[in-house]
Amino acid sequence: MLPTGNCTFRATGIVKPSERERVSLVDALMSATKGRTSSFTRNVLSASSSQTPGIKCGPNGTFFVSSGISDLDKILGGGIPLGSLVMVMEDAEAPHHMLLLRNFMSQGLVQDQPLLYASPSKDPRGFLGTLPCPSSKDDKLRNHDPQQEKGLRIAWQYKKYFGENQQSFDGHRGSKQEFCNDFDLRKPLERHFFSGQRVDCVSVKDSPNLVALQDRCTTFLAQFPRNDGSISSVGRIAIQSLCAPQCTHSNMEWDVLSFISYLKSMLWSANAVAVVTFPPSLLSESFCKRWQHMADILLSVRAIPDDDKELAKLLTGYQDMVGFLNVHKVARTNTQVPLILEATTFSIKLQKRRFLVLECLNQAPIDGSSGASYGTSGSCSGSSKTGTLEF
């Protein structure tokens, strides 16, 4: 027999330790691993310690901020991850990209997040007066759907079964501020939201290069260093129509690419997000492809022709659509598993001509020779008759 510690080994095998020996082995393992965190366990202390409004923790320890559109947050898997660069390809026919940019800027200002706004116009601060205002609960009640009224009454009856400190969908207990607001496009944002010193506006119209904009971004992002502790504040950068025709640097392709690369590297080390819109029709194909590869989240908007009868027959709710949103790339942070989207093309609608809504495209029902109608859902069918499907 070979004595080794508290166990005794024989040449023919191992003798099972006694109960007393098993207890001592467990105590030794517990003392050896005390104070040490496994690499397979996420440290949720830092995730739960942040009480900053407008931030929520997602899977794999990723922190999200809202895009200002609740439907877009769901499409992106919870919102825009901190440190991400969002790029939106504009449409030359209509300024639908401004709808996304306005909601993104208003969401940050409402939640008291510092904002850096760069524009090719002469007076970028005047654009802040066109930002939408968050809608109140009274506006939501006046514009609610009649179909949802019954569901709201049922939900109200079950409210007594939940405590006051019930955890909300945003992951905060008792949070008074919403993660994503509903913005009314007809009401301008109140002036006190953007009259302070937390909003910095830059005009790139007369600048010969992007050095001044790069310095402003560096100074702005230096306020939000990424540390191991809790997040005290989050910054937002909104750059409108980079490489627009009225800018003198629109032909400096390599200078613009170096600026985007620098901005992306700075975002990775800061608690901030950036949204950049650009006109792809004014760029060369190879130049535009490089832009797309450098983006963490890539979106594009497209206008709908005024009288497209073929498209009106193909899609349901065509009369309420103002454009299309295409999702080309979604950010993958702290994971190697890609996010599989249910759809990549969504319709842009203005509900009650006031609220921005993104919906999946639904095919209109097709009338067959037997009088049957087939669609994506049973409610779209105009006839109760059933027919045989031929493959």
Side-chain angles (χ1 to χ4, degrees), residues 273-290:
V273 294
V275 175
V276 181
T277 67
F278 67 97
S281 59
L282 302 179
L283 308 177
S284 61
E285 185 178 357
S286 60
F287 188 33
C288 186
K289 289 294 183 182
R290 290 187 176 93

Side-chain angles (χ1 to χ4, degrees), residues 321-339:
M321 299 180 187
V322 297
F324 295 112
L325 173 71
N326 295 319
V327 181
H328 303 275
K329 185 193 295 187
V330 179
R332 293 182 295 175
T333 307
N334 300 334
T335 181
Q336 295 181 352
V337 180
L339 179 62

Side-chain angles (χ1 to χ4, degrees), residues 16-73:
K16 293 183 179 180
S18 61
E19 184 67 24
R20 185 176 183 180
E21 292 173 345
R22 284 200 297 268
V23 173
S24 61
L25 286 174
V26 171
D27 294 339
L29 289 174
M30 292 293 292
S31 60
T33 58
K34 186 177 181 180
R36 191 171 61 186
T37 305
S38 174
S39 59
F40 297 97
T41 305
R42 181 171 61 88
N43 188 7
V44 297
L45 180 61
S46 61
S48 60
S49 61
S50 176
Q51 301 295 331
T52 307
I55 302 176
K56 72 176 180 180
C57 184
N60 305 316
T62 304
F63 289 96
F64 293 100
V65 295
S66 176
S67 63
I69 307 172
S70 58
D71 295 331
L72 184 58
D73 292 341

Side-chain angles (χ1 to χ4, degrees), residues 217-279:
C217 292
T218 303
T219 306
F220 180 79
L221 294 176
Q223 308 174 35
F224 317 101
R226 180 170 297 184
N227 300 323
D228 296 334
S230 60
I231 302 175
S232 58
S233 181
V234 172
R236 297 188 180 219
I237 297 179
I239 301 178
Q240 173 191 346
S241 300
L242 190 61
C243 286
Q246 58 266 38
C247 300
T248 57
H249 57 267
S250 58
N251 297 325
M252 304 176 183
E253 295 186 356
W254 291 108
D255 293 341
V256 176
L257 285 176
S258 62
F259 166 74
I260 297 175
S261 178
Y262 177 81
L263 178 61
K264 184 176 180 179
S265 62
M266 289 291 295
L267 287 171
W268 271 106
S269 58
N271 291 321
V273 294
V275 175
V276 181
T277 67
F278 67 97

